[in-house]
Amino acid sequence: MSNTQSDAARRGSRRGLSQRAGSAVLTLAVLGTLGGCGIFSSKPPHEPTPLTEIKQALTVKQIWTASVGKAGDYSFAPVAVGNAVFAAGANGSIVRLDADTGASNWTAKADSSITAGPGSDGETTVVATQKGDVIAFDHDGKQSWKANAGSEVLTAPLVGRGLVVVRAINNRVTAFDSGTGSVRWSYSQPSTTLTLRTGTGMTFLGDRAVVTGFPGGKMVALDANTGNPLWVTPLSYPKGVTEVERVNDVTGSPVVFGRQVCGATFQGRVGCADVQTGNGLWARDFSSPNGVTQDERVVAAVNTDGAVYAFNAADGSTLWQNDKLKYRDLSAPLALGRVVVVGDKQGYLHFLSRDNGDILARVKLSGAISVQPVIAGQTLVVQTRDGNIYGFRPD
């Protein structure tokens, strides 16, 4: 383990750590970010790296803005389905927006505050609560059913293939029928002593499987019909002596592109595996708080200090690294054409060259950006923690 990784482990995660003993869950509050001071370190926090003036080499046009509830203590990322954008806030507000204009197609309100969501396939839109309630809305925004996942949910539900797949904080994955809310299958792995308190995303592998990560650095592909594991791949392995040093959770959502699925872990590695077999293709030592993005050329990720890296998608060799955004509490990146887009806690959206990592453009938004931007049709959509949603068209 590198010194950077060890320091990050002692500082803990921005979203906290959860310690499990039997059925009890103890949440350890963290006083700073991954790049700053937490309960495991007496060092002062790092100040965000000051931004230097850049020459705007890319035109980024804002075409609309909308709003939904604030994020509060949780993270809410927009989800795109074709030309529709779905977004939610902690107060239970949910909106469906047109990606071209930002106009609202419908709004809905859950009957309680929510902790995760939305997930949608365009027909069924789902959010979840601290008590594990799973609340589904139909194509017109009317509540259609309500079920329970058994524990608090921090991960946006995955909706599609006739399923609503929900991952609870106790590492249980439950698939509900998207039409009725009845349970189709469930899968769980044993709890670990200490784990990050953060949502670990899920991704469909075609119609065949759902892939997600677990504590201990494992990526697992679950049969979409039965929930049985098709393969289990160790993306990385726990290291160190103390429980804190051995925290090694998969972070963010595994990303599928072509025949490979890629992911990253906290205090572990970034790497890719074959989607059919789970066999590892390549891996590099790395520590990421929020996962990866990939396209046909690069796999990009942000490390725990806020440095942005691009790896060759074919073999994992480092293509470039940008340290100019360190300690700015970056969101997960998004690979978008010739740029890699990432947001920061001061509300800046940065556009980095996919070829060399140079910052080509920068846009200031109304609030902190803690979730990955998404692409809906031809529109780049970004949600801030204060509940504002922006639509951009990069040139």
Side-chain angles (χ1 to χ4, degrees), residues 22-384:
S23 61
V25 178
L26 174 63
T27 299
L28 305 178
V30 175
L31 305 179
T33 67
L34 280 165
C37 175
I39 59 174
F40 303 111
S41 174
S42 60
K43 296 179 181 180
H46 290 285
E47 291 295 324
T49 300
L51 297 179
T52 57
E53 186 175 350
I54 64 169
K55 180 180 180 181
Q56 295 277 129
L58 177 72
T59 301
V60 181
K61 181 181 179 182
Q62 180 182 320
I63 59 173
W64 55 260
T65 184
S67 63
V68 71
K70 295 181 179 179
D73 295 330
Y74 302 96
S75 293
F76 295 93
V79 61
V81 182
N83 212 48
V85 177
F86 300 83
N91 65 357
S93 296
I94 308 154
V95 295
R96 173 176 174 154
L97 306 173
D98 182 276
D100 290 330
T101 66
S104 174
N105 297 122
W106 56 252
T107 62
K109 188 69 177 290
D111 56 12
S112 62
S113 59
I114 62 175
T115 56
S120 185
D121 63 356
E123 295 296 322
T124 302
T125 302
V126 187
V127 296
T129 74
Q130 187 178 38
K131 294 183 179 180
D133 289 331
V134 182
I135 307 169
F137 299 83
D138 65 16
H139 180 78
D140 297 315
K142 295 181 174 60
Q143 183 173 321
S144 53
W145 54 262
K146 188 174 184 178
N148 192 273
S151 186
E152 181 180 17
V153 178
L154 297 179
T155 299
L158 180 66
V159 185
R161 284 65 166 175
L163 300 176
V164 172
V165 187
V166 179
R167 181 196 175 108
I169 198 172
N170 62 0
N171 293 328
R172 178 175 291 276
V173 179
T174 304
F176 300 90
D177 185 280
S178 64
T180 66
S182 60
V183 175
R184 297 270 292 271
W185 53 259
S186 66
Y187 172 86
S188 63
Q189 287 206 347
S191 296
T192 56
T193 304
L194 201 63
T195 184
L196 296 176
R197 179 180 165 79
T198 184
T200 301
M202 303 168 288
T203 305
F204 283 116
L205 292 181
D207 294 327
R208 170 174 173 254
V210 174
V211 62
T212 187
F214 286 92
K218 295 185 288 291
M219 279 200 305
V220 180
L222 303 174
D223 187 292
N225 293 317
T226 66
N228 294 327
L230 299 177
W231 50 255
V232 179
T233 294
L235 185 58
S236 62
Y237 299 90
K239 300 178 182 179
V241 177
T242 70
E243 292 293 342
V244 173
E245 289 176 330
R246 293 179 62 80
V247 173
N248 185 223
D249 297 5
V250 176
T251 55
S253 297
V255 180
V256 178
F257 195 95
R259 292 186 55 83
Q260 67 181 28
V261 54
C262 302
T265 63
F266 178 68
Q267 302 187 138
R269 298 192 297 185
V270 58
C272 299
D274 182 274
V275 296
Q276 296 294 326
T277 65
N279 292 336
L281 300 175
W282 61 262
R284 296 284 305 276
D285 287 345
F286 200 76
S287 180
S288 172
N290 49 24
V292 305
T293 183
Q294 69 163 316
D295 62 15
E296 73 280 4
R297 292 180 55 190
V298 306
V299 173
V302 175
N303 75 4
T304 48
D305 282 340
V308 185
Y309 282 75
F311 302 95
N312 187 311
D315 60 16
S317 58
T318 300
L319 298 176
W320 53 259
Q321 159 187 358
N322 187 314
D323 295 327
K324 295 181 179 179
L325 303 176
K326 290 179 69 174
Y327 313 121
R328 297 190 62 85
D329 203 4
L330 301 182
S331 71
L334 172 71
L336 178 62
R338 65 188 182 99
V339 297
V340 173
V341 188
V342 65
D344 72 26
K345 68 178 178 183
Q346 293 185 346
Y348 287 96
L349 191 64
H350 308 274
F351 295 77
L352 284 64
S353 167
R354 186 184 66 169
D355 294 331
N356 57 26
D358 289 347
I359 300 176
L360 302 179
R362 179 186 299 140
V363 179
K364 181 70 167 69
L365 278 58
S366 63
I369 306 165
S370 63
V371 294
Q372 185 182 46
V374 300
I375 186 72
Q378 301 298 311
T379 304
L380 175 68
V381 182
V382 186
Q383 183 171 345
T384 61

